[in-house]
């Protein structure tokens, strides 16, 4: 499913960038995506991924963590995890929301989509914390019944679906952010596109993206990625694409 989502987003992004613009489309693109603060915003947007990566790591750890043993310690660990997640989500959205007053409608759309994803994830985490808190209280009352355990798992599955839906919005924001990097000075019927970033700025952004890769040097879109990894791949593909000229080329 995730592969299909990113494939559709990537194809739409490529098609929008590759097709020549009519004069009317060119004027509309300039109006909706003027070259204002694009490097600073993209740098902040990419920097915010560090906090989302922390969420990914904790979620992976929760899936691999052994629930056997002291049940109260296990529940408390999950309560603490979700609290940290929401703190990181608030910090992440602050990285981009400070640019909301920049007079660039596409940038504001990126911010709206990204902040919406963060807010939805915060709400899901609050609901999950309530589930774990109730499980904690139920365990204090004695042994958990099969019916209680079944309801807990069912509620968790429902929240998992909501979490994935929120992460789709993150992917959408990345597709928009990739288009945001295009220069407003796109000429009608011009096949080669130009980014509103200098060669040095592109290199600095790629170096920042490298910090999320670890030992993985192949950051192209592929099956098995998390939504965050796919979002990073979409940004990277534009920055690394030699068919996109830099502002100083």
């Amino acid at each position: 499913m995730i592969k299909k989502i990113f494939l559709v987003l990537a194809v739409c992004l490529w098609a929008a960038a590759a097709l020549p613009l009519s004069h009317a489309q060119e004027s509309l693109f300039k109006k909706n995506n003027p070259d204002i603060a694009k490097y600073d915003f993209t740098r902040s947007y990419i920097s915010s991924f560090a906090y989302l990566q922390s969420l990914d790591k904790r979620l992976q750890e929760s899936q691999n963590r052994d629930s056997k043993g002291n049940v109260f310690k296990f529940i408390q660990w999950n309560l603490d995890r979700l609290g940290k997640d929401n703190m990181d989500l608030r910090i992440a959205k602050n990285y981009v929301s400070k640019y909301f007053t920049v007079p660039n409608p596409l940038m504001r759309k990126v911010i709206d989509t990204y902040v919406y994803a963060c807010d939805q994830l915060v709400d899901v985490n609050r609901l999950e914390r309530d589930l774990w808190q109730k499980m904690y209280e139920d365990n204090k009352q004695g042994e958990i019944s099969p019916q209680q355990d079944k309801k807990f798992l069912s509620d968790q599955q429902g929240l998992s679906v909501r979490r994935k839906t929120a992460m789709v919005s993150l992917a959408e924001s990345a597709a928009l952010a990739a288009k945001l990097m295009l220069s407003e000075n796109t000429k009608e019927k011009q096949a080669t596109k130009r980014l509103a970033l200098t060669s040095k700025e592109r290199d600095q952004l790629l170096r920042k993206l490298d910090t999320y890769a670890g030992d993985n040097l192949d950051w192209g879109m592929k099956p098995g990625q998390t939504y965050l990894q796919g979002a990073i791949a979409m940004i990277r593909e534009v920055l690394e694409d030699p068919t996109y000229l830099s502002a100083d080329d």
Side-chain angles (χ1 to χ4, degrees), residues 34 83 99 156 193 195:
Y99 292 94
Q156 284 278 41
K193 302 304 177 185
L195 300 184

Side-chain angles (χ1 to χ4, degrees), residues 32-222:
N32 290 326
N33 191 28
D35 290 346
I36 306 172
K38 289 186 176 180
Y39 170 69
D40 290 338
F41 174 78
T42 306
R43 180 180 59 186
S44 291
Y45 181 78
I46 291 173
S47 295
S48 73
F49 287 166
Y51 297 91
L52 300 186
Q53 188 178 50
S54 295
L55 267 71
D56 264 7
K57 290 179 179 178
R58 284 192 289 267
L59 182 60
Q60 185 64 38
E61 186 179 354
S62 72
Q63 293 169 347
N64 297 329
R65 194 176 180 87
D66 188 359
S67 60
K68 297 178 181 179
N70 190 311
V71 65
F72 295 106
K73 286 185 178 180
F74 178 70
I75 293 173
Q76 187 60 54
W77 182 87
N78 279 285
L79 290 170
D80 293 342
R81 167 181 66 85
L82 293 165
K84 291 175 183 177
D85 283 357
N86 278 358
M87 184 181 299
D88 283 342
L89 285 165
R90 293 187 181 97
I91 296 173
K93 72 176 187 178
N94 285 340
Y95 264 79
V96 301
S97 58
K98 62 185 178 182
Y99 292 94
F100 193 77
T101 57
V102 174
N104 181 313
L106 180 56
M107 188 180 295
R108 291 198 292 270
K109 180 62 176 176
V110 175
I111 295 168
D112 277 339
T113 309
Y114 187 81
V115 168
Y116 174 81
C118 291
D119 286 343
Q120 291 300 302
L121 289 170
V122 166
D123 288 342
V124 170
N125 288 341
R126 285 174 179 163
L127 292 172
E128 187 176 353
R129 277 179 61 86
D130 290 344
L131 289 181
W132 283 109
Q133 189 62 52
K134 187 176 186 310
M135 178 62 73
Y136 189 94
E137 298 300 327
D138 288 345
N139 271 277
K140 287 175 64 176
Q141 300 298 321
E143 187 174 348
I144 299 297
S145 69
Q147 292 79 11
Q148 288 174 307
D149 191 51
K150 182 178 180 180
K151 186 178 187 308
F152 176 80
L153 292 176
S154 176
D155 289 342
Q156 284 278 41
Q157 289 172 353
L159 291 178
S160 178
V161 172
R162 288 188 57 181
R163 182 174 283 111
K164 289 178 180 178
T165 300
M167 295 304 287
V168 170
S169 292
L170 168 65
E172 292 173 351
S173 79
L176 293 169
K179 189 171 184 179
L180 175 75
M181 293 187 290
L182 286 171
S183 172
E184 67 175 24
N185 297 313
T186 299
K187 301 300 182 182
E188 185 179 355
K189 298 182 181 179
Q190 181 177 323
T192 304
K193 302 304 177 185
R194 187 180 300 274
L195 300 184
L197 306 168
T198 66
S199 300
K200 181 178 180 180
E201 288 169 343
R202 289 176 75 169
D203 183 63
Q204 288 173 336
L205 294 176
L206 283 168
R207 287 174 183 267
K208 182 62 180 176
L209 289 171
D210 283 342
T211 63
Y212 304 127
D215 296 329
N216 180 15
L217 299 180
D218 181 12
W219 265 93
M221 286 184 286
K222 51 185 176 287

Side-chain angles (χ1 to χ4, degrees), residues 18-37:
L19 290 175
L21 298 178
S22 68
H23 180 71
Q25 289 173 324
E26 180 184 338
S27 298
L28 186 62
F29 185 76
K30 287 185 176 183
K31 179 181 178 181
N32 290 326
N33 191 28
D35 290 346
I36 306 172

